Amino acid sequence: MEQELIKKTEAFVKKELQHAEGGHDWFHIERVYKNSLLIAKTENVNHLIVALSALLHDIADSKFHDGNESIGPEKAENFLRTLHLDQTYIDHIVQIIKNISFKGGNFQPNFHSAELEVVQDADRLDAIGAIGIARTFNYGGFKNRKIYDPEVKPQLNMTKEAYKKSEAPTINHFYEKLLLLKDRMNTETGKKLAQKRHDFMVDYLNQFYSEWNGTV
Ligand code: ADP
Ligand code: NI
């Protein structure tokens, strides 16, 4: 029964994300889904809620919908109704989708649950390390941003609005988000996996500046 709900959700998400940008496509969802299940193993959580939230968490990202933050949760809710899922489950999954995102990191979330913690960690893991680097430059290219500009300094403590509007060079995103994530992991498994990916990004940036400056 649960397996059937998951299969139906996978099919729905695959179809919805057919033309998505490469960092927010079905493969991102698949990685987040797998990492969510891995992290959930050692957490006391409802596995169906974790699985469906992971699958639906980026169903209509506001970045790709003129900043509209309600399309994603609404789409997810309408779809979940077709599965005839319990309303308490639907409400919980929709809350997770509304609260999972980083958005500059300087806003107060208004919902909390162990299931949110698991899926948020899995989503954050996919934002760092080798995959995180690839997704970040892909997004920068998609938005026609510069790779790096030494004149444009990273902005910490941006409001949610400023974070969303930022057109800064892609390297700045490492300082504005990616390097901050390891200290924001919720679960022990998440923390462990994040440290390794974090160290890889630090090495990457050192190499990047050496090559930029012609010192290697
Ligand atoms: P969140 O809402 O949690 O920040 P996003 O969906 O915005 O999550 O980010 C997912 C990934 O998209 C980031 O980890 C990064 O790879 C890419 N991304 C988002 N915003 C930017 C940006 N301004 N510059 C480069 N990459 C970005
Ligand atoms: Ni995501």
Side-chain angles (χ1 to χ4, degrees), residues 13 22 27 29 36 38 60 84 86-87 91 102 116-117 140 155 194:
V13 174
F27 292 115
I29 303 302
S36 294
L38 178 76
H84 306 292
D86 228 57
Q87 190 61 40
D91 291 344
F102 180 74
L116 168 62
E117 289 194 345
Q155 300 284 316

Side-chain angles (χ1 to χ4, degrees), residues 135-179:
R135 291 180 70 213
T136 301
F137 283 106
N138 195 72
Y139 186 82
F142 181 78
K143 290 281 190 180
N144 199 23
R145 306 251 169 90
K146 284 182 188 164
I147 292 173
Y148 176 49
D149 182 342
E151 299 288 311
V152 185
K153 301 293 175 207
Q155 300 284 316
L156 292 168
N157 303 315
M158 271 188 284
T159 61
K160 183 176 130 184
E161 286 68 35
Y163 174 77
K164 285 179 148 191
K165 276 215 302 267
S166 167
E167 293 188 348
T170 301
I171 282 285
N172 292 24
H173 198 63
F174 285 78
Y175 302 93
E176 292 165 354
K177 175 182 175 188
L178 310 187
L179 294 171

Side-chain angles (χ1 to χ4, degrees), residues 11-21 24-26 59:
F12 170 70
V13 174
K14 259 187 203 166
K15 187 159 167 284
E16 287 290 318
L17 294 181
Q18 264 180 94
H19 305 294
E21 174 265 324
H24 292 81
D25 59 1
W26 163 253
I59 195 67

Side-chain angles (χ1 to χ4, degrees), residues 28-44:
H28 164 62
I29 303 302
E30 194 175 43
R31 291 188 301 266
V32 172
Y33 174 62
K34 286 183 179 160
N35 276 334
S36 294
L37 297 188
L38 178 76
I39 295 168
K41 274 189 192 165
T42 46
E43 302 295 316
N44 185 13

